[in-house]
Amino acid sequence: MKKNKLFYLIAIYLTLVVNNFIHATSPSALSLRIPQGARGIALGNAYISVADDPTAIHWNPAGLVDVSRISANLSYNSYIFNIQSFFASLACPITLSKNKLLLGGAFMYSDLGIVEGRDETRTQTEFVSLYDSSLIISIAYKINEIYSIGGNVKYITTKLWSGEENKSYAFSGDLGVKAKLLGSLINTAVVVRNLGTKLKYGNSVENSLPLDVELGVSVKPIKKLLLSSDISIQSNSSVKLRFGTEYIVNPTFALRGGINTESKCTVSIGAGIKMPISISVTPASSSFGTLGFLTPQKEETEVQEKNVLFLDYAYTHYIITNIGGTHRVSLTVKF
């Protein structure tokens, strides 16, 4: 009965999504589409079926169930047109008998630059800082060993010019579903982003949020190799294709690459480093021989990673549009 209710809620949500697509106007707060987290960006943004760290709050909240312990992430994006984006996220797993619940939160701030204001005589009047920000609360639930579901609630603030009449606020929601097939050999995912209220500045026309529906699949043909692909259907009637790959060189270093049709054609490369911050060493206990006597043995120890630091970097180059390149850096800590 509970599962039926869950699927009814999902059906209602998707009905609202279709309705919003049909009646969509020109979207605002496009900074909500700025990708967050260097690992996912290095994979060409093909990450919704892969996301398993705190940045899953941005990519696919259902992926939060793969966070095994309290984790935090800080990300910095040097984006196109001098846009600077900052993203901070936290994920906390909670075990509930056979199932798993996970709570998370994030804050995103995009500095859209400083605009110089002038009056009708072209005299300089002021400098105005423009920005978008989002406060996000997330929850994810592991239904069973195959399926998980997650959702976000966002409070969005945007500023397009000086004065309260040029600020706007909105609420939106995200919904994600993730499925692990063949013992996690293949992952599939579906995500709906930014379904919510509209933004309105003063007496202007209301603007919809950038609604996206995304589908993704990833596969591990061998243990050290990951292949992923996504398709994004956006409210401005555009379709984006994304492909990525990751190769684990050794337990502490990974190489990544990707390509997508964002801005016509975009190529990404990146790398990740895993560094234990602290470890615990447990000595092996002595054992008795078959005759009951203490048998001298070579002392053995078991080393366990307690706190782990992940440092990720991604470089993205916009080929056809000749915008240039952008840099992303992420820092993730598992406590």
Side-chain angles (χ1 to χ4, degrees), residues 5-29:
K5 289 182 178 179
L6 177 62
F7 286 114
Y8 289 147
L9 289 173
I10 294 175
I12 293 171
Y13 188 86
L14 293 177
T15 301
L16 293 173
V17 169
V18 173
N19 180 72
N20 209 7
F21 263 111
I22 295 173
H23 298 92
T25 58
S26 298
S28 186

mmCIF file with all atom_site columns, all heavy atoms in Angstrom, residues 5-29:
data_model
loop_
_atom_site.group_PDB
_atom_site.id
_atom_site.type_symbol
_atom_site.label_atom_id
_atom_site.label_alt_id
_atom_site.label_comp_id
_atom_site.label_asym_id
_atom_site.label_entity_id
_atom_site.label_seq_id
_atom_site.pdbx_PDB_ins_code
_atom_site.Cartn_x
_atom_site.Cartn_y
_atom_site.Cartn_z
_atom_site.occupancy
_atom_site.B_iso_or_equiv
_atom_site.pdbx_formal_charge
_atom_site.auth_seq_id
_atom_site.auth_comp_id
_atom_site.auth_asym_id
_atom_site.auth_atom_id
_atom_site.pdbx_PDB_model_num
ATOM 1   N N   . LYS A 1 5  ? 1.163  4.331  -2.885  1.00 0.00 ? 5  LYS A N   1
ATOM 2   C CA  . LYS A 1 5  ? 1.061  5.759  -2.607  1.00 0.00 ? 5  LYS A CA  1
ATOM 3   C C   . LYS A 1 5  ? 2.267  6.504  -3.157  1.00 0.00 ? 5  LYS A C   1
ATOM 4   O O   . LYS A 1 5  ? 2.148  7.606  -3.698  1.00 0.00 ? 5  LYS A O   1
ATOM 5   C CB  . LYS A 1 5  ? 0.934  6.002  -1.103  1.00 0.00 ? 5  LYS A CB  1
ATOM 6   C CG  . LYS A 1 5  ? -0.397 5.592  -0.507  1.00 0.00 ? 5  LYS A CG  1
ATOM 7   C CD  . LYS A 1 5  ? -0.460 5.921  0.973   1.00 0.00 ? 5  LYS A CD  1
ATOM 8   C CE  . LYS A 1 5  ? -1.802 5.552  1.574   1.00 0.00 ? 5  LYS A CE  1
ATOM 9   N NZ  . LYS A 1 5  ? -1.862 5.862  3.025   1.00 0.00 ? 5  LYS A NZ  1
ATOM 10  N N   . LEU A 1 6  ? 3.435  5.898  -3.006  1.00 0.00 ? 6  LEU A N   1
ATOM 11  C CA  . LEU A 1 6  ? 4.660  6.517  -3.503  1.00 0.00 ? 6  LEU A CA  1
ATOM 12  C C   . LEU A 1 6  ? 4.597  6.707  -5.011  1.00 0.00 ? 6  LEU A C   1
ATOM 13  O O   . LEU A 1 6  ? 4.912  7.784  -5.525  1.00 0.00 ? 6  LEU A O   1
ATOM 14  C CB  . LEU A 1 6  ? 5.870  5.652  -3.133  1.00 0.00 ? 6  LEU A CB  1
ATOM 15  C CG  . LEU A 1 6  ? 7.244  6.122  -3.644  1.00 0.00 ? 6  LEU A CG  1
ATOM 16  C CD1 . LEU A 1 6  ? 7.586  7.484  -3.060  1.00 0.00 ? 6  LEU A CD1 1
ATOM 17  C CD2 . LEU A 1 6  ? 8.306  5.097  -3.275  1.00 0.00 ? 6  LEU A CD2 1
ATOM 18  N N   . PHE A 1 7  ? 4.155  5.679  -5.731  1.00 0.00 ? 7  PHE A N   1
ATOM 19  C CA  . PHE A 1 7  ? 4.091  5.791  -7.185  1.00 0.00 ? 7  PHE A CA  1
ATOM 20  C C   . PHE A 1 7  ? 2.994  6.766  -7.623  1.00 0.00 ? 7  PHE A C   1
ATOM 21  O O   . PHE A 1 7  ? 3.134  7.437  -8.646  1.00 0.00 ? 7  PHE A O   1
ATOM 22  C CB  . PHE A 1 7  ? 3.868  4.415  -7.810  1.00 0.00 ? 7  PHE A CB  1
ATOM 23  C CG  . PHE A 1 7  ? 5.092  3.548  -7.786  1.00 0.00 ? 7  PHE A CG  1
ATOM 24  C CD1 . PHE A 1 7  ? 5.136  2.396  -7.023  1.00 0.00 ? 7  PHE A CD1 1
ATOM 25  C CD2 . PHE A 1 7  ? 6.220  3.901  -8.513  1.00 0.00 ? 7  PHE A CD2 1
ATOM 26  C CE1 . PHE A 1 7  ? 6.268  1.610  -6.996  1.00 0.00 ? 7  PHE A CE1 1
ATOM 27  C CE2 . PHE A 1 7  ? 7.369  3.109  -8.493  1.00 0.00 ? 7  PHE A CE2 1
ATOM 28  C CZ  . PHE A 1 7  ? 7.396  1.964  -7.733  1.00 0.00 ? 7  PHE A CZ  1
ATOM 29  N N   . TYR A 1 8  ? 1.903  6.887  -6.862  1.00 0.00 ? 8  TYR A N   1
ATOM 30  C CA  . TYR A 1 8  ? 0.879  7.872  -7.166  1.00 0.00 ? 8  TYR A CA  1
ATOM 31  C C   . TYR A 1 8  ? 1.441  9.291  -7.054  1.00 0.00 ? 8  TYR A C   1
ATOM 32  O O   . TYR A 1 8  ? 1.174  10.159 -7.893  1.00 0.00 ? 8  TYR A O   1
ATOM 33  C CB  . TYR A 1 8  ? -0.323 7.721  -6.225  1.00 0.00 ? 8  TYR A CB  1
ATOM 34  C CG  . TYR A 1 8  ? -1.155 6.487  -6.473  1.00 0.00 ? 8  TYR A CG  1
ATOM 35  C CD1 . TYR A 1 8  ? -1.796 5.829  -5.428  1.00 0.00 ? 8  TYR A CD1 1
ATOM 36  C CD2 . TYR A 1 8  ? -1.298 5.966  -7.765  1.00 0.00 ? 8  TYR A CD2 1
ATOM 37  C CE1 . TYR A 1 8  ? -2.554 4.684  -5.650  1.00 0.00 ? 8  TYR A CE1 1
ATOM 38  C CE2 . TYR A 1 8  ? -2.058 4.822  -7.993  1.00 0.00 ? 8  TYR A CE2 1
ATOM 39  C CZ  . TYR A 1 8  ? -2.684 4.189  -6.933  1.00 0.00 ? 8  TYR A CZ  1
ATOM 40  O OH  . TYR A 1 8  ? -3.431 3.069  -7.161  1.00 0.00 ? 8  TYR A OH  1
ATOM 41  N N   . LEU A 1 9  ? 2.233  9.523  -6.002  1.00 0.00 ? 9  LEU A N   1
ATOM 42  C CA  . LEU A 1 9  ? 2.846  10.836 -5.820  1.00 0.00 ? 9  LEU A CA  1
ATOM 43  C C   . LEU A 1 9  ? 3.789  11.166 -6.976  1.00 0.00 ? 9  LEU A C   1
ATOM 44  O O   . LEU A 1 9  ? 3.821  12.296 -7.469  1.00 0.00 ? 9  LEU A O   1
ATOM 45  C CB  . LEU A 1 9  ? 3.595  10.886 -4.486  1.00 0.00 ? 9  LEU A CB  1
ATOM 46  C CG  . LEU A 1 9  ? 2.733  10.898 -3.226  1.00 0.00 ? 9  LEU A CG  1
ATOM 47  C CD1 . LEU A 1 9  ? 3.622  10.783 -1.977  1.00 0.00 ? 9  LEU A CD1 1
ATOM 48  C CD2 . LEU A 1 9  ? 1.891  12.166 -3.153  1.00 0.00 ? 9  LEU A CD2 1
ATOM 49  N N   . ILE A 1 10 ? 4.563  10.164 -7.404  1.00 0.00 ? 10 ILE A N   1
ATOM 50  C CA  . ILE A 1 10 ? 5.469  10.379 -8.526  1.00 0.00 ? 10 ILE A CA  1
ATOM 51  C C   . ILE A 1 10 ? 4.675  10.699 -9.797  1.00 0.00 ? 10 ILE A C   1
ATOM 52  O O   . ILE A 1 10 ? 5.043  11.585 -10.578 1.00 0.00 ? 10 ILE A O   1
ATOM 53  C CB  . ILE A 1 10 ? 6.360  9.145  -8.752  1.00 0.00 ? 10 ILE A CB  1
ATOM 54  C CG1 . ILE A 1 10 ? 7.307  8.958  -7.552  1.00 0.00 ? 10 ILE A CG1 1
ATOM 55  C CG2 . ILE A 1 10 ? 7.174  9.279  -10.032 1.00 0.00 ? 10 ILE A CG2 1
ATOM 56  C CD1 . ILE A 1 10 ? 8.138  7.695  -7.625  1.00 0.00 ? 10 ILE A CD1 1
ATOM 57  N N   . ALA A 1 11 ? 3.577  10.004 -10.010 1.00 0.00 ? 11 ALA A N   1
ATOM 58  C CA  . ALA A 1 11 ? 2.750  10.250 -11.197 1.00 0.00 ? 11 ALA A CA  1
ATOM 59  C C   . ALA A 1 11 ? 2.189  11.671 -11.192 1.00 0.00 ? 11 ALA A C   1
ATOM 60  O O   . ALA A 1 11 ? 2.169  12.351 -12.226 1.00 0.00 ? 11 ALA A O   1
ATOM 61  C CB  . ALA A 1 11 ? 1.613  9.229  -11.261 1.00 0.00 ? 11 ALA A CB  1
ATOM 62  N N   . ILE A 1 12 ? 1.716  12.127 -10.026 1.00 0.00 ? 12 ILE A N   1
ATOM 63  C CA  . ILE A 1 12 ? 1.203  13.501 -9.914  1.00 0.00 ? 12 ILE A CA  1
ATOM 64  C C   . ILE A 1 12 ? 2.308  14.506 -10.217 1.00 0.00 ? 12 ILE A C   1
ATOM 65  O O   . ILE A 1 12 ? 2.115  15.492 -10.933 1.00 0.00 ? 12 ILE A O   1
ATOM 66  C CB  . ILE A 1 12 ? 0.614  13.736 -8.508  1.00 0.00 ? 12 ILE A CB  1
ATOM 67  C CG1 . ILE A 1 12 ? -0.634 12.877 -8.308  1.00 0.00 ? 12 ILE A CG1 1
ATOM 68  C CG2 . ILE A 1 12 ? 0.285  15.214 -8.306  1.00 0.00 ? 12 ILE A CG2 1
ATOM 69  C CD1 . ILE A 1 12 ? -1.169 12.881 -6.891  1.00 0.00 ? 12 ILE A CD1 1
ATOM 70  N N   . TYR A 1 13 ? 3.497  14.238 -9.688  1.00 0.00 ? 13 TYR A N   1
ATOM 71  C CA  . TYR A 1 13 ? 4.642  15.131 -9.896  1.00 0.00 ? 13 TYR A CA  1
ATOM 72  C C   . TYR A 1 13 ? 4.979  15.225 -11.387 1.00 0.00 ? 13 TYR A C   1
ATOM 73  O O   . TYR A 1 13 ? 5.177  16.317 -11.925 1.00 0.00 ? 13 TYR A O   1
ATOM 74  C CB  . TYR A 1 13 ? 5.842  14.605 -9.109  1.00 0.00 ? 13 TYR A CB  1
ATOM 75  C CG  . TYR A 1 13 ? 7.034  15.521 -9.082  1.00 0.00 ? 13 TYR A CG  1
ATOM 76  C CD1 . TYR A 1 13 ? 7.142  16.527 -8.125  1.00 0.00 ? 13 TYR A CD1 1
ATOM 77  C CD2 . TYR A 1 13 ? 8.067  15.377 -10.006 1.00 0.00 ? 13 TYR A CD2 1
ATOM 78  C CE1 . TYR A 1 13 ? 8.245  17.362 -8.094  1.00 0.00 ? 13 TYR A CE1 1
ATOM 79  C CE2 . TYR A 1 13 ? 9.169  16.210 -9.982  1.00 0.00 ? 13 TYR A CE2 1
ATOM 80  C CZ  . TYR A 1 13 ? 9.256  17.192 -9.013  1.00 0.00 ? 13 TYR A CZ  1
ATOM 81  O OH  . TYR A 1 13 ? 10.349 18.017 -8.993  1.00 0.00 ? 13 TYR A OH  1
ATOM 82  N N   . LEU A 1 14 ? 5.024  14.086 -12.070 1.00 0.00 ? 14 LEU A N   1
ATOM 83  C CA  . LEU A 1 14 ? 5.356  14.085 -13.495 1.00 0.00 ? 14 LEU A CA  1
ATOM 84  C C   . LEU A 1 14 ? 4.263  14.757 -14.322 1.00 0.00 ? 14 LEU A C   1
ATOM 85  O O   . LEU A 1 14 ? 4.547  15.387 -15.344 1.00 0.00 ? 14 LEU A O   1
ATOM 86  C CB  . LEU A 1 14 ? 5.582  12.654 -13.974 1.00 0.00 ? 14 LEU A CB  1
ATOM 87  C CG  . LEU A 1 14 ? 6.814  11.957 -13.388 1.00 0.00 ? 14 LEU A CG  1
ATOM 88  C CD1 . LEU A 1 14 ? 6.898  10.520 -13.887 1.00 0.00 ? 14 LEU A CD1 1
ATOM 89  C CD2 . LEU A 1 14 ? 8.094  12.711 -13.746 1.00 0.00 ? 14 LEU A CD2 1
ATOM 90  N N   . THR A 1 15 ? 3.008  14.664 -13.885 1.00 0.00 ? 15 THR A N   1
ATOM 91  C CA  . THR A 1 15 ? 1.925  15.369 -14.561 1.00 0.00 ? 15 THR A CA  1
ATOM 92  C C   . THR A 1 15 ? 2.134  16.873 -14.489 1.00 0.00 ? 15 THR A C   1
ATOM 93  O O   . THR A 1 15 ? 1.945  17.599 -15.473 1.00 0.00 ? 15 THR A O   1
ATOM 94  C CB  . THR A 1 15 ? 0.565  15.008 -13.939 1.00 0.00 ? 15 THR A CB  1
ATOM 95  O OG1 . THR A 1 15 ? 0.370  13.598 -14.039 1.00 0.00 ? 15 THR A OG1 1
ATOM 96  C CG2 . THR A 1 15 ? -0.569 15.717 -14.656 1.00 0.00 ? 15 THR A CG2 1
ATOM 97  N N   . LEU A 1 16 ? 2.548  17.351 -13.328 1.00 0.00 ? 16 LEU A N   1
ATOM 98  C CA  . LEU A 1 16 ? 2.847  18.774 -13.168 1.00 0.00 ? 16 LEU A CA  1
ATOM 99  C C   . LEU A 1 16 ? 4.025  19.187 -14.041 1.00 0.00 ? 16 LEU A C   1
ATOM 100 O O   . LEU A 1 16 ? 4.060  20.292 -14.587 1.00 0.00 ? 16 LEU A O   1
ATOM 101 C CB  . LEU A 1 16 ? 3.141  19.084 -11.694 1.00 0.00 ? 16 LEU A CB  1
ATOM 102 C CG  . LEU A 1 16 ? 1.964  18.944 -10.732 1.00 0.00 ? 16 LEU A CG  1
ATOM 103 C CD1 . LEU A 1 16 ? 2.448  19.106 -9.289  1.00 0.00 ? 16 LEU A CD1 1
ATOM 104 C CD2 . LEU A 1 16 ? 0.887  19.973 -11.037 1.00 0.00 ? 16 LEU A CD2 1
ATOM 105 N N   . VAL A 1 17 ? 5.003  18.294 -14.181 1.00 0.00 ? 17 VAL A N   1
ATOM 106 C CA  . VAL A 1 17 ? 6.161  18.580 -15.031 1.00 0.00 ? 17 VAL A CA  1
ATOM 107 C C   . VAL A 1 17 ? 5.730  18.799 -16.474 1.00 0.00 ? 17 VAL A C   1
ATOM 108 O O   . VAL A 1 17 ? 6.125  19.766 -17.125 1.00 0.00 ? 17 VAL A O   1
ATOM 109 C CB  . VAL A 1 17 ? 7.185  17.429 -14.960 1.00 0.00 ? 17 VAL A CB  1
ATOM 110 C CG1 . VAL A 1 17 ? 8.245  17.590 -16.034 1.00 0.00 ? 17 VAL A CG1 1
ATOM 111 C CG2 . VAL A 1 17 ? 7.835  17.392 -13.589 1.00 0.00 ? 17 VAL A CG2 1
ATOM 112 N N   . VAL A 1 18 ? 4.901  17.884 -16.999 1.00 0.00 ? 18 VAL A N   1
ATOM 113 C CA  . VAL A 1 18 ? 4.431  17.998 -18.377 1.00 0.00 ? 18 VAL A CA  1
ATOM 114 C C   . VAL A 1 18 ? 3.650  19.290 -18.571 1.00 0.00 ? 18 VAL A C   1
ATOM 115 O O   . VAL A 1 18 ? 3.818  20.013 -19.554 1.00 0.00 ? 18 VAL A O   1
ATOM 116 C CB  . VAL A 1 18 ? 3.566  16.773 -18.747 1.00 0.00 ? 18 VAL A CB  1
ATOM 117 C CG1 . VAL A 1 18 ? 2.931  16.967 -20.119 1.00 0.00 ? 18 VAL A CG1 1
ATOM 118 C CG2 . VAL A 1 18 ? 4.398  15.509 -18.721 1.00 0.00 ? 18 VAL A CG2 1
ATOM 119 N N   . ASN A 1 19 ? 2.789  19.618 -17.604 1.00 0.00 ? 19 ASN A N   1
ATOM 120 C CA  . ASN A 1 19 ? 2.009  20.845 -17.677 1.00 0.00 ? 19 ASN A CA  1
ATOM 121 C C   . ASN A 1 19 ? 2.914  22.072 -17.699 1.00 0.00 ? 19 ASN A C   1
ATOM 122 O O   . ASN A 1 19 ? 2.667  23.030 -18.434 1.00 0.00 ? 19 ASN A O   1
ATOM 123 C CB  . ASN A 1 19 ? 1.036  20.917 -16.496 1.00 0.00 ? 19 ASN A CB  1
ATOM 124 C CG  . ASN A 1 19 ? 0.194  22.187 -16.524 1.00 0.00 ? 19 ASN A CG  1
ATOM 125 O OD1 . ASN A 1 19 ? -0.696 22.324 -17.349 1.00 0.00 ? 19 ASN A OD1 1
ATOM 126 N ND2 . ASN A 1 19 ? 0.477  23.114 -15.614 1.00 0.00 ? 19 ASN A ND2 1
ATOM 127 N N   . ASN A 1 20 ? 3.971  22.035 -16.902 1.00 0.00 ? 20 ASN A N   1
ATOM 128 C CA  . ASN A 1 20 ? 4.900  23.162 -16.853 1.00 0.00 ? 20 ASN A CA  1
ATOM 129 C C   . ASN A 1 20 ? 5.661  23.300 -18.165 1.00 0.00 ? 20 ASN A C   1
ATOM 130 O O   . ASN A 1 20 ? 5.950  24.408 -18.612 1.00 0.00 ? 20 ASN A O   1
ATOM 131 C CB  . ASN A 1 20 ? 5.874  22.976 -15.692 1.00 0.00 ? 20 ASN A CB  1
ATOM 132 C CG  . ASN A 1 20 ? 6.364  24.307 -15.149 1.00 0.00 ? 20 ASN A CG  1
ATOM 133 O OD1 . ASN A 1 20 ? 5.895  25.360 -15.550 1.00 0.00 ? 20 ASN A OD1 1
ATOM 134 N ND2 . ASN A 1 20 ? 7.314  24.245 -14.226 1.00 0.00 ? 20 ASN A ND2 1
ATOM 135 N N   . PHE A 1 21 ? 5.994  22.192 -18.813 1.00 0.00 ? 21 PHE A N   1
ATOM 136 C CA  . PHE A 1 21 ? 6.647  22.248 -20.118 1.00 0.00 ? 21 PHE A CA  1
ATOM 137 C C   . PHE A 1 21 ? 5.733  22.907 -21.150 1.00 0.00 ? 21 PHE A C   1
ATOM 138 O O   . PHE A 1 21 ? 6.158  23.733 -21.947 1.00 0.00 ? 21 PHE A O   1
ATOM 139 C CB  . PHE A 1 21 ? 7.018  20.838 -20.599 1.00 0.00 ? 21 PHE A CB  1
ATOM 140 C CG  . PHE A 1 21 ? 8.431  20.455 -20.313 1.00 0.00 ? 21 PHE A CG  1
ATOM 141 C CD1 . PHE A 1 21 ? 8.712  19.475 -19.373 1.00 0.00 ? 21 PHE A CD1 1
ATOM 142 C CD2 . PHE A 1 21 ? 9.481  21.078 -20.962 1.00 0.00 ? 21 PHE A CD2 1
ATOM 143 C CE1 . PHE A 1 21 ? 10.025 19.109 -19.105 1.00 0.00 ? 21 PHE A CE1 1
ATOM 144 C CE2 . PHE A 1 21 ? 10.794 20.719 -20.698 1.00 0.00 ? 21 PHE A CE2 1
ATOM 145 C CZ  . PHE A 1 21 ? 11.062 19.739 -19.771 1.00 0.00 ? 21 PHE A CZ  1
ATOM 146 N N   . ILE A 1 22 ? 4.464  22.527 -21.125 1.00 0.00 ? 22 ILE A N   1
ATOM 147 C CA  . ILE A 1 22 ? 3.519  23.031 -22.123 1.00 0.00 ? 22 ILE A CA  1
ATOM 148 C C   . ILE A 1 22 ? 3.326  24.533 -21.989 1.00 0.00 ? 22 ILE A C   1
ATOM 149 O O   . ILE A 1 22 ? 3.230  25.263 -22.982 1.00 0.00 ? 22 ILE A O   1
ATOM 150 C CB  . ILE A 1 22 ? 2.165  22.299 -21.984 1.00 0.00 ? 22 ILE A CB  1
ATOM 151 C CG1 . ILE A 1 22 ? 2.342  20.815 -22.333 1.00 0.00 ? 22 ILE A CG1 1
ATOM 152 C CG2 . ILE A 1 22 ? 1.113  22.930 -22.872 1.00 0.00 ? 22 ILE A CG2 1
ATOM 153 C CD1 . ILE A 1 22 ? 1.122  19.972 -22.062 1.00 0.00 ? 22 ILE A CD1 1
ATOM 154 N N   . HIS A 1 23 ? 3.302  25.023 -20.743 1.00 0.00 ? 23 HIS A N   1
ATOM 155 C CA  . HIS A 1 23 ? 3.022  26.438 -20.495 1.00 0.00 ? 23 HIS A CA  1
ATOM 156 C C   . HIS A 1 23 ? 4.275  27.221 -20.131 1.00 0.00 ? 23 HIS A C   1
ATOM 157 O O   . HIS A 1 23 ? 4.194  28.303 -19.555 1.00 0.00 ? 23 HIS A O   1
ATOM 158 C CB  . HIS A 1 23 ? 1.982  26.573 -19.375 1.00 0.00 ? 23 HIS A CB  1
ATOM 159 C CG  . HIS A 1 23 ? 0.658  25.948 -19.702 1.00 0.00 ? 23 HIS A CG  1
ATOM 160 N ND1 . HIS A 1 23 ? 0.352  24.640 -19.371 1.00 0.00 ? 23 HIS A ND1 1
ATOM 161 C CD2 . HIS A 1 23 ? -0.424 26.428 -20.354 1.00 0.00 ? 23 HIS A CD2 1
ATOM 162 C CE1 . HIS A 1 23 ? -0.873 24.352 -19.770 1.00 0.00 ? 23 HIS A CE1 1
ATOM 163 N NE2 . HIS A 1 23 ? -1.363 25.409 -20.376 1.00 0.00 ? 23 HIS A NE2 1
ATOM 164 N N   . ALA A 1 24 ? 5.433  26.703 -20.467 1.00 0.00 ? 24 ALA A N   1
ATOM 165 C CA  . ALA A 1 24 ? 6.690  27.344 -20.068 1.00 0.00 ? 24 ALA A CA  1
ATOM 166 C C   . ALA A 1 24 ? 6.911  28.661 -20.797 1.00 0.00 ? 24 ALA A C   1
ATOM 167 O O   . ALA A 1 24 ? 6.628  28.796 -21.982 1.00 0.00 ? 24 ALA A O   1
ATOM 168 C CB  . ALA A 1 24 ? 7.860  26.404 -20.355 1.00 0.00 ? 24 ALA A CB  1
ATOM 169 N N   . THR A 1 25 ? 7.417  29.660 -20.058 1.00 0.00 ? 25 THR A N   1
ATOM 170 C CA  . THR A 1 25 ? 7.870  30.911 -20.648 1.00 0.00 ? 25 THR A CA  1
ATOM 171 C C   . THR A 1 25 ? 9.383  30.905 -20.637 1.00 0.00 ? 25 THR A C   1
ATOM 172 O O   . THR A 1 25 ? 10.013 29.919 -20.290 1.00 0.00 ? 25 THR A O   1
ATOM 173 C CB  . THR A 1 25 ? 7.339  32.108 -19.830 1.00 0.00 ? 25 THR A CB  1
ATOM 174 O OG1 . THR A 1 25 ? 7.807  31.977 -18.478 1.00 0.00 ? 25 THR A OG1 1
ATOM 175 C CG2 . THR A 1 25 ? 5.816  32.136 -19.824 1.00 0.00 ? 25 THR A CG2 1
ATOM 176 N N   . SER A 1 26 ? 9.994  32.008 -21.036 1.00 0.00 ? 26 SER A N   1
ATOM 177 C CA  . SER A 1 26 ? 11.454 32.074 -21.031 1.00 0.00 ? 26 SER A CA  1
ATOM 178 C C   . SER A 1 26 ? 11.956 31.892 -19.605 1.00 0.00 ? 26 SER A C   1
ATOM 179 O O   . SER A 1 26 ? 11.549 32.634 -18.703 1.00 0.00 ? 26 SER A O   1
ATOM 180 C CB  . SER A 1 26 ? 11.922 33.422 -21.584 1.00 0.00 ? 26 SER A CB  1
ATOM 181 O OG  . SER A 1 26 ? 11.498 33.572 -22.926 1.00 0.00 ? 26 SER A OG  1
ATOM 182 N N   . PRO A 1 27 ? 12.815 30.909 -19.358 1.00 0.00 ? 27 PRO A N   1
ATOM 183 C CA  . PRO A 1 27 ? 13.245 30.631 -17.987 1.00 0.00 ? 27 PRO A CA  1
ATOM 184 C C   . PRO A 1 27 ? 14.159 31.694 -17.426 1.00 0.00 ? 27 PRO A C   1
ATOM 185 O O   . PRO A 1 27 ? 14.890 32.367 -18.153 1.00 0.00 ? 27 PRO A O   1
ATOM 186 C CB  . PRO A 1 27 ? 13.973 29.289 -18.127 1.00 0.00 ? 27 PRO A CB  1
ATOM 187 C CG  . PRO A 1 27 ? 14.449 29.262 -19.537 1.00 0.00 ? 27 PRO A CG  1
ATOM 188 C CD  . PRO A 1 27 ? 13.407 29.989 -20.320 1.00 0.00 ? 27 PRO A CD  1
ATOM 189 N N   . SER A 1 28 ? 14.094 31.853 -16.099 1.00 0.00 ? 28 SER A N   1
ATOM 190 C CA  . SER A 1 28 ? 14.988 32.761 -15.387 1.00 0.00 ? 28 SER A CA  1
ATOM 191 C C   . SER A 1 28 ? 15.831 31.914 -14.430 1.00 0.00 ? 28 SER A C   1
ATOM 192 O O   . SER A 1 28 ? 15.681 30.705 -14.360 1.00 0.00 ? 28 SER A O   1
ATOM 193 C CB  . SER A 1 28 ? 14.166 33.805 -14.623 1.00 0.00 ? 28 SER A CB  1
ATOM 194 O OG  . SER A 1 28 ? 14.995 34.771 -14.033 1.00 0.00 ? 28 SER A OG  1
ATOM 195 N N   . ALA A 1 29 ? 16.742 32.584 -13.669 1.00 0.00 ? 29 ALA A N   1
ATOM 196 C CA  . ALA A 1 29 ? 17.621 31.881 -12.733 1.00 0.00 ? 29 ALA A CA  1
ATOM 197 C C   . ALA A 1 29 ? 18.355 30.737 -13.421 1.00 0.00 ? 29 ALA A C   1
ATOM 198 O O   . ALA A 1 29 ? 18.418 29.614 -12.918 1.00 0.00 ? 29 ALA A O   1
ATOM 199 C CB  . ALA A 1 29 ? 16.832 31.369 -11.523 1.00 0.00 ? 29 ALA A CB  1
#
